[in-house]
Amino acid sequence: MLNTKQKTLRRFWYAIMPMEHLADGPKPFTLLGEKIVLFLDGEGKPAALEDRCCHRTAKLSTGWCKDGNIVCGYHGWEYDRTGKLVMVPQFPERQAVPNARTRGFHAQERYGQVWVALDDPIADIPDVPEDVDAGFRRIPQFYEHWKTSPFRLMENSFDAAHIAFVHRNTFGDINDPVPEQYKIEETAEGFTASVRQEVVNPAHAQKITGEPAGKTMRNMVNKWYVPFYRRLDIEYPSGLRHIIFNCATPIDDGNMQLTQILFRNDTEEDCPAADLVAWDEAIVREDKDMLECTDPEVVLDLKMRTELHMVTDRPGMIMRKRLLQVFHDNGEEEYVEGAAPVLAAE
């Protein structure tokens, strides 16, 4: 699967950037290979257009905002939030503005982020009820570029077998490489994977978890939403909840953006946000280093046998099956680049 070749992926919402990044003017972004520009309209709501002026093709992201519209920095042509050309400064008042436009895309704010769908959405942004729960605080954690594909990150997020090895310096135990198996329940949006897992709580993490150092058992409910969203609810024995919500946004076929938000049922006085970001950053960095050395192209059809699998890979195998079904339901097949190598039979 190459993300830019799968038209159905254009019909989902993706987290693009924090709303605050638009406070000082338009910003460019590449989504599924599409060059877009984001800006705030007259009501302070996000808008997304093709990053291309229909006059001389200049990037609108090099311009500025004026009364809720975006102005091209080349000749001052002005567009509204839908992409319609509304003003040409070189025309006299008696000359009508041409009936022209640059393409507009769906945009909205959610969880403090700008979300964009390139085509008419077929699913909503996943709901995180803690965002409106007064007992929880929202902590933006990561907004960064990774040289891998969204599927690799999603699959890794449910791969319990990698913890003992990739995270041996944070919370994994390399001497205990066989993880507990997830209890998986498929849903209309994806699946829920639940497990009670024994892990290591390092001494320096006691403020994070509210529990003593050493081996500990944690309840974890990990949810995957088609295509590239994940919500991990970790319940520590102390009663603290550490809820991670992330979106793996496809930039192109070999690059993605990680947007990650944390929800906690404590206060800044209990545990500073900077400490929570630092704790999760150490873990995320271990994943990033490993995933960036994998092949970003993932073949979804298990019959093609481009990769071997084991029992703990079941979540990723379900992801493959479900994405193939989504593509099929929307009238397309998986795109695979070239002839994939075939591994030896078992």
Side-chain angles (χ1 to χ4, degrees):
M1 175 183 70
L2 294 178
N3 298 316
T4 63
K5 303 293 185 180
Q6 305 290 168
K7 294 181 179 180
T8 304
L9 292 179
R10 296 172 59 92
R11 303 188 65 186
F12 290 94
W13 292 97
Y14 301 101
I16 303 299
M17 65 180 61
M19 280 285 293
E20 61 190 34
H21 285 203
L22 300 183
D24 60 351
K27 295 293 185 297
F29 192 83
T30 301
L31 176 60
L32 286 164
E34 191 87 56
K35 304 292 186 182
I36 66 175
V37 58
L38 297 107
F39 65 99
L40 299 179
D41 68 11
E43 298 179 356
K45 296 180 179 179
L49 305 177
E50 180 181 12
D51 196 6
R52 181 181 186 276
C53 179
C54 57
H55 176 221
R56 287 293 183 265
T57 76
K59 292 183 181 296
L60 294 175
S61 57
T62 64
W64 56 87
C65 293
K66 174 187 174 185
D67 300 328
N69 296 329
I70 187 169
V71 178
C72 178
Y74 195 6
H75 296 94
W77 287 30
E78 191 171 324
Y79 301 83
D80 69 14
R81 65 163 291 118
T82 71
K84 178 178 175 56
L85 179 65
V86 295
M87 203 272 281
V88 177
Q90 291 81 13
F91 285 11
E93 291 184 5
R94 64 181 179 275
Q95 185 173 351
V97 173
N99 183 20
R101 64 172 53 249
T102 189
R103 286 183 298 157
F105 306 109
H106 302 274
Q108 64 171 294
E109 177 185 2
R110 196 79 179 272
Y111 313 131
Q113 305 287 319
V114 181
W115 294 72
V116 172
L118 296 176
D119 292 334
D120 291 342
I122 56 176
D124 294 329
I125 299 169
D127 182 51
V128 182
E130 290 76 16
D131 193 58
V132 294
D133 186 332
F136 285 81
R137 53 179 168 145
R138 180 212 295 163
I139 302 170
Q141 286 194 304
F142 310 115
Y143 165 68
E144 58 186 38
H145 183 154
W146 287 26
K147 295 179 181 179
T148 188
S149 63
F151 189 94
R152 290 294 186 199
L153 175 62
M154 288 293 107
E155 182 176 54
N156 178 78
S157 299
F158 293 82
D159 177 7
H162 86 284
I163 294 174
F165 300 93
V166 176
H167 301 300
R168 61 191 179 276
N169 294 319
T170 49
F171 69 101
D173 183 354
I174 200 168
N175 297 310
D176 187 12
V178 182
E180 294 293 328
Q181 296 299 308
Y182 280 121
K183 177 182 178 182
I184 299 177
E185 178 184 355
E186 292 199 49
T187 65
E189 299 84 8
F191 62 72
T192 299
S194 305
V195 69
R196 183 170 171 77
Q197 182 71 49
E198 184 178 54
V199 299
V200 175
N201 188 52
H204 66 273
Q206 293 181 72
K207 183 184 293 187
I208 307 295
T209 65
E211 56 187 343
K215 285 290 190 75
T216 183
M217 299 295 294
R218 291 176 186 163
N219 294 321
M220 293 185 278
V221 180
N222 209 359
K223 293 186 177 182
W224 172 66
Y225 302 85
V226 176
F228 308 129
Y229 323 109
R230 188 273 294 251
R231 169 202 162 101
L232 171 61
D233 186 345
I234 304 172
E235 182 180 358
Y236 298 120
S238 62
L240 284 175
R241 301 266 299 286
H242 194 89
I243 301 173
I244 291 170
F245 175 70
N246 54 34
C247 175
T249 297
I251 294 173
D252 53 31
D253 293 325
N255 297 273
M256 56 151 277
Q257 175 191 278
L258 170 65
T259 295
Q260 182 163 305
I261 305 167
L262 175 66
F263 297 87
R264 290 269 298 199
N265 61 337
D266 61 356
T267 67
E268 181 70 13
E269 290 71 27
D270 295 326
C271 186
D275 291 349
L276 293 166
V277 172
W279 166 250
D280 281 333
E281 183 174 19
I283 297 169
V284 164
R285 204 60 59 229
E286 292 169 333
D287 284 323
K288 183 175 186 286
D289 290 344
M290 184 56 61
L291 293 178
E292 288 192 334
C293 74
T294 65
D295 186 345
E297 183 179 9
V298 178
V299 178
L300 303 181
D301 190 345
L302 296 173
K303 296 191 297 292
M304 296 188 70
R305 295 184 55 76
T306 56
E307 298 178 26
L308 295 178
H309 307 281
M310 55 186 178
V311 173
T312 52
D313 295 326
R314 186 182 171 216
M317 296 168 77
I318 295 174
M319 290 180 188
R320 287 167 166 80
K321 178 192 70 174
R322 292 292 295 271
L323 279 174
L324 277 176
Q325 188 63 51
V326 168
F327 294 159
H328 177 77
D329 292 345
N330 285 276
E332 71 170 332
E333 302 299 328
E334 179 189 14
Y335 181 92
V336 181
E337 184 74 28
V342 178
L343 299 175
E346 293 179 353

